Amino acid sequence: MYNITLIPGDGIGPEVAEAAKSVIEATGVKIRWETVNAGIDVLAKEGILVPDKVFESLEKTRIALKGPITTPIGSGFKSINVMLRKKYDLFSNIRPIKAIPGIAVPFQNVDLVIFRENTEDLYIGVEKTIDEGTAEAIKRITREGSLRIIKAAFAYAHQNHKSKVTVVHKANIMKLTDGLFLQCAREVSKDYPHIQLQEVIVDNMCMQLVMNPSQFQVIVTTNLYGDILSDLCAGLVGGLGVVPGANLGKDMAVFEAVHGSAPDIAGKNIANPVAMILTGAMMLHYLGESDKSYSIYKAVETTILEGKFVTKDLDGSASTKDMTNAIIENISL
Ligand code: ATP
């Protein structure tokens, strides 16, 4: 029996979190869910953005499945997603981008993993208004922060028999900050002589990714570039509706899809549940339930290949619930 914190989030969060929960349960794995929530909906109901019970549950279970929580643009409201990553030092944001057979995309064999640094860079949120027409933000890169994400990327590449790690930077312009990140990548790569370190400037990376994405295996980069490249890469394999993710620290793991709360489609039972379901599969793999994790991947693949119950973003007309039920039907253990 595993104790897991479930944070449904808002927007499409509750719909896709429920989908992921029911698919995970259909594998037979025994989980005691502690459901807690945060965000503007909770603020309206309980008068607090992040109730203490969210922290208490996370600190007890040390593992969560989390839906997206909206961060309004341009308001004083700080991102709860970013706050949780920083508070619990979840420094490794891992996003596997893999083509799923049956989804019509220009490249059939994309199979890469993004390691995005998750705690520093422009995301430290230090901004100030200088005068009416000028504002500044601090981009902080540290040696310690860089080394640990780069080490995680190389360790993953080594364990998974990958021959290349691509470090993405803009050190030609940001010589000190991105320069430090790049320097750290060069240092770590010395411990892995059998793995090639490829250095690519972020703008060139965007072009390379849309022209020939299958040349990449493992990508490691700073926080903001990682955020942007994740959405770009999601577009290569069918969109945000199919890309899972994990935020890992030393002693806590929060599993969270790449997509946000998608307010444009929230509450309509049309969101694609696959990203969150595959996020659940990543969580099972992390727990050592690899067979059950794999059975979810296979069930998703079969459902998409059959094409009968897929959501609108994948050119189908199924509801979130219909697609989830079809995936559950296709689970074979
Ligand atoms: P954030 O900055 O909070 O991560 P975002 O800018 O990446 O969010 P999303 O909320 O993820 O934006 O939505 C971007 C677009 O992708 C929207 O048009 C949304 O409808 C679509 N989208 C996101 N997730 C899904 C999903 N699970 N199923 C279908 N469409 C989705």
Side-chain angles (χ1 to χ4, degrees):
M1 176 75 78
Y2 301 103
N3 286 327
I4 293 176
T5 302
L6 181 68
I7 304 176
D10 54 35
I12 60 169
E15 300 163 70
V16 293
E18 185 54 39
K21 182 175 169 231
S22 55
V23 171
I24 291 168
E25 284 173 350
T27 68
V29 67
K30 294 276 173 276
I31 293 179
R32 193 178 301 117
W33 300 98
E34 279 194 18
T35 306
V36 288
N37 214 358
I40 4 185
D41 293 353
V42 178
L43 179 68
K45 270 192 229 140
E46 301 182 30
I48 182 162
L49 214 43
V50 189
D52 283 348
K53 57 191 173 204
V54 173
F55 301 121
E56 283 159 17
S57 180
L58 282 171
E59 284 161 29
K60 191 167 54 164
T61 65
R62 320 289 316 170
I63 179 163
L65 184 61
K66 175 185 167 300
I69 298 174
T70 308
T71 311
I73 296 172
S75 71
F77 187 102
K78 288 215 171 184
S79 166
I80 294 173
N81 310 310
V82 173
M83 179 276 285
L84 289 175
R85 294 170 194 164
K86 273 165 66 179
K87 180 173 170 70
Y88 294 114
D89 209 18
L90 304 167
F91 63 89
S92 217
N93 187 192
I94 302 171
R95 295 171 155 182
I97 312 277
K98 194 169 173 6
I100 302 177
I103 300 184
V105 286
F107 306 96
Q108 294 310 319
N109 48 359
V110 175
D111 185 6
L112 58 88
V113 182
I114 296 177
F115 280 75
R116 165 195 179 195
E117 200 291 318
N118 221 8
T119 58
E120 43 189 46
D121 192 4
L122 284 157
Y123 281 67
I124 59 171
V126 181
E127 289 188 293
K128 69 174 178 219
T129 300
I130 305 295
D131 60 42
E132 224 171 74
T134 317
E136 282 183 351
I138 302 282
K139 171 173 166 120
R140 180 178 298 139
I141 302 289
T142 68
R143 193 176 161 72
E144 191 200 351
S146 304
L147 285 175
R148 60 187 183 172
I149 185 72
I150 295 163
K151 283 180 181 169
F154 271 92
Y156 171 88
H158 174 69
Q159 279 154 19
N160 291 278
H161 311 290
K162 306 288 182 188
S163 58
K164 185 170 79 171
V165 171
T166 304
V167 59
V168 179
H169 65 91
K170 187 80 185 174
N172 52 334
I173 302 299
M174 271 153 287
K175 295 179 191 293
L176 300 182
T177 48
D178 283 16
L180 176 57
F181 193 80
L182 180 58
Q183 179 55 36
C184 289
R186 288 176 183 167
E187 283 173 34
V188 174
S189 79
K190 291 203 178 101
D191 294 335
Y192 295 88
H194 55 297
I195 298 175
Q196 182 202 344
L197 173 69
Q198 180 188 29
E199 300 174 4
V200 183
I201 294 175
V202 63
D203 39 351
N204 179 25
M205 187 68 185
C206 294
M207 183 191 70
Q208 297 291 337
L209 276 167
V210 295
M211 292 191 72
N212 180 17
S214 33
Q215 64 180 298
F216 299 109
Q217 303 173 22
V218 178
I219 294 170
V220 63
T221 190
T222 49
N223 206 337
L224 181 61
Y225 307 148
D227 182 39
I228 297 167
L229 291 181
S230 297
D231 274 32
L232 189 158
C233 287
L236 295 172
V237 295
L240 286 167
V242 297
V243 181
N247 300 294
L248 305 186
K250 271 206 200 82
D251 58 359
M252 191 185 286
V254 175
F255 291 84
E256 183 182 24
V258 174
H259 64 70
S261 56
D264 52 332
I265 55 167
K268 297 181 178 162
N269 193 23
I270 57 169
N272 188 339
V274 165
M276 197 66 181
I277 289 170
L278 293 182
T279 298
M282 279 180 88
M283 185 180 79
L284 291 189
H285 183 76
Y286 173 89
L287 289 169
E289 299 281 356
S290 303
D291 291 352
K292 287 175 175 157
S293 170
Y294 186 69
S295 70
I296 294 181
Y297 275 104
K298 280 316 255 186
V300 165
E301 238 179 69
T302 308
T303 308
I304 289 174
L305 263 180
E306 287 170 353
K308 198 162 166 228
F309 294 107
V310 293
T311 44
K312 194 163 159 242
D313 57 312
L314 298 182
D315 297 328
S317 57
S319 67
T320 307
K321 285 201 174 116
D322 290 341
M323 189 170 188
T324 306
N325 289 337
I327 292 169
I328 290 173
E329 286 286 307
N330 281 323
I331 289 181
S332 58
L333 298 164

